Amino acid sequence: MVAIKSRDTSIEVKLRKMLWDHGIRYRKNYKALPGSPDIVLTRYRIAIFCDGEFFHGKDWDKLTDQLMSGNNGPYWVAKIARNIDRDDEVNKQLIAMGWTVLRFWGRDILKYPDECLRAIEETIFENELRQHESDAGRHEFTEEDAIEDPDAEE
């Protein structure tokens, strides 16, 4: 397992290259956030994870059966179950901090890169729209905004 990369994997590089080519700037493996997301769009508060199918438990029910029938099954089941739990914990922490979390499976990035890019662009648009709406709802009150109390004595 020493040879398994945790950074700059082919799926991360492919997604980052697409983002860069579309003018979307990012930080990679951002340690300031829980889980050190693979790609972070700080401007839009979006954390992106590029998850490998095996270690993050895609099709977990099928994978569990396969692992249990192989060598050292209980070890792998416990390890991957912990990874799934950790992913869920990280998602909850980031959401509580006001971040949007996107997770893509590695094969989806390789097979359907345009759909992954579209999902990111839509999330950017939604976050900008939400931010614009919240900014438009804010109003600095001045003395002119004050309503005079008709019952007040002068």
Side-chain angles (χ1 to χ4, degrees):
M1 287 198 321
V2 173
I4 297 172
K5 293 170 51 170
S6 64
R7 297 172 188 210
D8 298 328
T9 61
S10 61
I11 57 177
E12 287 177 41
V13 171
K14 181 169 183 127
L15 190 56
R16 289 195 319 241
K17 184 169 177 19
M18 287 180 13
L19 292 172
W20 191 268
D21 290 346
H22 282 83
I24 301 171
R25 301 302 180 242
Y26 54 83
R27 292 182 181 269
K28 59 183 196 168
N29 306 113
Y30 195 55
K31 291 183 184 354
L33 291 177
S36 295
D38 300 315
I39 302 168
V40 174
L41 311 178
T42 54
R43 178 176 177 187
Y44 308 108
R45 297 184 67 81
I46 299 172
I48 302 170
F49 293 89
C50 306
D51 293 337
E53 286 77 5
F54 179 76
F55 283 103
H56 293 272
K58 183 173 185 188
D59 299 327
W60 182 234
D61 295 332
K62 292 180 190 176
L63 185 59
T64 304
D65 294 338
Q66 290 174 343
L67 290 172
M68 289 307 284
S69 65
N71 289 339
N72 210 4
Y75 166 79
W76 286 107
V77 169
K79 178 172 183 50
I80 296 171
R82 177 63 188 128
N83 288 349
I84 293 169
D85 292 342
R86 187 180 316 112
D87 290 346
D88 195 38
E89 291 168 17
V90 166
N91 288 352
K92 289 175 184 174
Q93 288 175 339
L94 288 167
I95 290 168
M97 294 169 66
W99 287 78
T100 302
V101 180
L102 297 177
R103 285 189 177 269
F104 296 104
W105 292 113
R107 288 192 184 127
D108 290 341
I109 294 171
L110 296 175
K111 281 185 171 182
Y112 311 108
D114 293 336
E115 283 81 0
C116 296
L117 179 64
R118 187 175 313 118
I120 294 168
E121 289 175 333
E122 287 174 2
T123 304
I124 289 171
F125 178 75
E126 290 168 4
N127 286 7
E128 283 187 320
L129 187 62
R130 198 175 309 122
Q131 181 63 39
H132 178 70
E133 287 172 351
S134 69
D135 288 346
R138 290 188 186 132
H139 178 73
E140 293 291 325
F141 286 96
T142 62
E143 287 185 29
E144 288 116 27
D145 293 326
I147 298 173
E148 290 185 29
D149 184 3
D151 297 333
E153 295 180 24
E154 294 188 26

